Amino acid sequence: MTTSVRGDQLARLLGRWHALPGRRRSPDYAALAGAVRGLLSDGRLALGVRLPAERELAEALAISRTTVSAAYRALRETGHLASRRGAGSWTTLPNGHRVASSGLWTPEDDLDMIDLGCAASAAPVEIVPAARAAADDLPRYLGSAGYHPTGLPELRAAVADGYTARGVPTTPEQILITSGTQQALDLVLRLSVPVGAPVLVETPTYPNALAALAARRARISTHGLDIEHGWDGEMLLGALRQIKPRMTYVIPEFHNPTGHLMPTELRERLVATAHSTGADLIVDESFVDLPLDDPSMPPPVAVFDRHSRVTSIGGMSKAYWGGLRIGWVRASAPLVQRLAAIRVGVDMASPVLEQLVAVHLLANAAEIVAARRAQLRFRRDTLVAALREQLPEWRFVVPGGGVTLWAELDGPISSALSRAAEDVGVRLAPGPRFGLDGTLERFLRLPFTLPADDLAEAVRRIASVRHDLDHAARPVWRTPVVIT
């Protein structure tokens, strides 16, 4: 069934829709069409969504209906909108597009683009020998059907040992192996968040978590993170007490996208407050293996759990390779069995061969992760140096770990800058992707997972585009004239 977006909703998503690159003079209808295309390209507006009627959107934006009509016509001409008399207009994308590594649509001819929209690294060299060793192990499983809904015993044991080493005693029965961290989150939400239930998330936060919550039709409330200090403990705990959410989703280790690390005291108080308010916690530990400066880490949030309120999720995408679709859930053993029962209706089980590869990689985790940290540290420092040289007016805190830097720009131009950067071969993830309803236009997420030379070149191109925004003539906005 086609979903629809109201005029006021689309207006919030569009935000400062006329803030297009000043180096091109554009009438209002072209600026509006470009802003809608931008929402499609960065995933904030889904495909197959029915847009509001022309009159409704014109009223929401306080512009003329002829401007909206011309914008819709321009979108139809570029293949971004399909219309049928009496049925309305809904979003599409033109032929010649593909799904990019970030999960967003992109032209097929942009393979040389520097993609800063995806925060994931290339595979380590140890992948190939691990795959060969896994193939040698495979015959042990070929006599069975190959379905292991909770995961292979040896992989569950290896993941459990990792939690135990971090100070959280864990048995294999408390581990569910999933097809990536995203599936781990989806399964927990399917089990624990009824349709319409209140949930609390950080803002900014991981965009795919917001998408998963939207799919559950959850009522989302947010707690804002400060760019310099991260969580305000009193405000976060106060939000928990006031909202009393069914579920709270947090990323305490090198938060995506801000890179902040939650202090130990707040972790303990968060668990205690969640218990007192009846809220469950989903703790996303995707970046826990990637401290880049101080190797000492606060204890896991689950250390403070005495009432089975904490469900931890993690995986191998960030420290190892995104192409290895291995994730996991750590929870109480009864909850793991309930999750496995739900999982059977989704994809039965994770691939046996990939699980065996993961077993061999985890056996060499110390060496692999140490090399990854050194690589990311060098790339982070390269990105920081380039930003300070090319864009000194931007404000940011150097992250102590993870893979992303969260920059505050010198104006609410994130979406406009991202659209302009596409023209010079750089794909960006604008700030509003990490929040709700078009907020965070002053922010930009910059991952440092690409080679250092690519990062330096990307910043140079972004700086040139930012310069154009300031030094070109101001656009003259005109309403098109309808000629009959």
Side-chain angles (χ1 to χ4, degrees):
M1 182 177 67
T2 301
T3 59
S4 60
V5 59
R6 300 192 311 270
D8 59 339
Q9 293 173 323
L10 184 55
R12 286 198 301 271
L13 287 173
L14 288 167
R16 295 169 64 91
W17 56 271
H18 46 74
L20 290 174
R23 55 200 170 93
R24 289 195 299 269
R25 290 179 175 268
S26 299
D28 273 357
Y29 81 91
L32 179 57
V36 173
R37 284 193 292 269
L39 293 177
L40 278 168
S41 67
D42 66 31
R44 282 179 280 159
L45 191 60
L47 298 179
V49 171
R50 183 179 289 112
L51 295 189
E54 294 174 3
R55 186 183 303 277
E56 180 186 354
L57 183 58
E59 292 176 355
L61 294 176
I63 58 177
S64 71
R65 182 177 175 181
T66 55
T67 299
V68 178
S69 179
Y72 278 18
R73 182 171 63 249
L75 290 167
R76 286 192 293 269
E77 290 172 353
T78 59
H80 292 83
L81 198 65
S83 300
R84 189 166 63 247
R85 186 178 296 276
S89 301
W90 57 95
T91 56
T92 62
L93 277 179
N95 293 329
H97 283 66
R98 63 184 176 87
V99 177
S101 56
S102 60
L104 305 179
W105 293 87
T106 185
E108 291 179 345
D109 59 357
D110 73 343
L111 299 180
D112 293 330
M113 182 168 288
I114 301 176
D115 190 355
L116 295 182
C118 181
S121 301
V125 296
E126 291 84 356
I127 281 283
V128 173
R132 288 173 178 158
D136 291 338
D137 293 339
L138 188 59
R140 291 191 283 119
Y141 292 91
L142 298 181
S144 68
Y147 299 132
H148 302 270
T150 56
L152 297 185
E154 55 261 60
L155 181 54
R156 297 175 74 192
V159 174
D161 288 345
Y163 277 101
T164 300
R166 292 173 55 208
V168 189
T170 304
T171 65
E173 290 74 26
Q174 293 177 266
I175 300 296
L176 173 75
I177 302 301
T178 63
S179 297
T181 310
Q182 184 67 28
Q183 189 190 54
L185 174 61
D186 182 71
L187 291 173
V188 175
L189 294 180
R190 286 172 184 249
L191 180 64
S192 304
V193 179
V195 172
V199 298
L200 179 65
V201 301
E202 301 145 331
T203 183
T205 192
Y206 177 47
N208 288 340
L210 293 174
L213 289 166
R216 298 298 303 161
R217 300 180 186 175
R219 290 189 288 117
I220 303 174
S221 298
T222 59
H223 162 69
L225 268 68
D226 180 75
I227 188 172
E228 291 187 9
H229 307 292
W231 300 266
D232 183 314
E234 295 305 320
M235 290 186 65
L236 172 59
L237 302 182
L240 265 173
R241 297 185 187 101
Q242 180 178 2
I243 298 167
K244 292 183 171 56
R246 181 66 175 266
M247 180 72 69
T248 298
Y249 170 79
V250 295
I251 311 173
E253 284 89 20
F254 310 117
H255 176 267
N256 180 13
T258 68
H260 287 298
L261 183 64
M262 184 180 287
T264 300
E265 179 188 6
L266 181 54
R267 294 170 184 241
E268 184 173 9
R269 295 177 67 197
L270 178 62
V271 175
T273 304
H275 172 61
S276 67
T277 59
D280 291 328
L281 294 175
I282 301 178
V283 179
D284 189 337
E285 299 182 318
S286 295
F287 304 93
V288 71
D289 293 322
L290 296 176
L292 303 184
D293 296 323
D294 184 358
S296 62
M297 292 284 289
V301 174
V303 164
F304 306 105
D305 185 25
R306 301 290 184 269
H307 306 280
S308 297
R309 288 286 183 190
V310 175
T311 298
S312 303
I313 62 175
M316 304 189 70
S317 295
K318 302 306 179 184
Y320 297 87
W321 186 41
L324 187 67
R325 302 309 303 148
I326 295 295
W328 50 75
V329 177
R330 182 207 177 270
S332 65
L335 182 59
V336 165
Q337 292 303 318
R338 294 171 64 194
L339 290 169
I342 293 176
R343 193 260 177 87
V344 168
V346 177
D347 69 345
M348 301 296 291
S350 297
V352 171
L353 187 58
E354 290 193 24
Q355 293 186 70
L356 292 172
V357 173
V359 170
H360 286 280
L361 290 174
L362 290 175
N364 295 305
E367 296 80 6
I368 297 173
V369 174
R372 179 69 82 197
R373 290 172 181 167
Q375 178 190 69
L376 289 171
R377 188 182 306 114
F378 176 72
R379 294 176 176 180
R380 178 203 61 185
D381 294 346
T382 298
L383 175 62
V384 167
L387 288 172
R388 286 174 172 167
E389 178 183 357
Q390 300 284 339
L391 294 159
E393 64 277 13
W394 288 12
R395 192 166 69 98
F396 56 87
V397 172
V398 179
V403 301
T404 62
L405 180 147
W406 185 241
E408 182 177 4
L409 313 183
D410 53 329
I413 58 169
S414 184
S415 293
L417 184 64
S418 298
R419 293 194 294 271
E422 292 266 350
D423 293 341
V424 293
V426 179
R427 174 167 296 112
L428 298 174
R433 276 199 68 202
F434 304 88
L436 298 174
D437 291 335
T439 59
L440 303 174
E441 275 288 1
R442 294 187 66 92
F443 296 92
L444 188 69
R445 188 190 75 170
L446 296 169
F448 41 89
T449 52
L450 294 180
D453 290 345
D454 287 348
L455 294 172
E457 174 63 17
V459 172
R460 186 192 67 78
R461 297 182 191 180
I462 295 168
S464 69
V465 170
R466 181 66 189 94
H467 178 82
D468 284 347
L469 291 177
D470 283 336
H471 291 79
R474 179 181 296 274
V476 178
W477 309 113
R478 303 185 183 91
T479 300
V481 177
V482 177
I483 301 175
T484 59

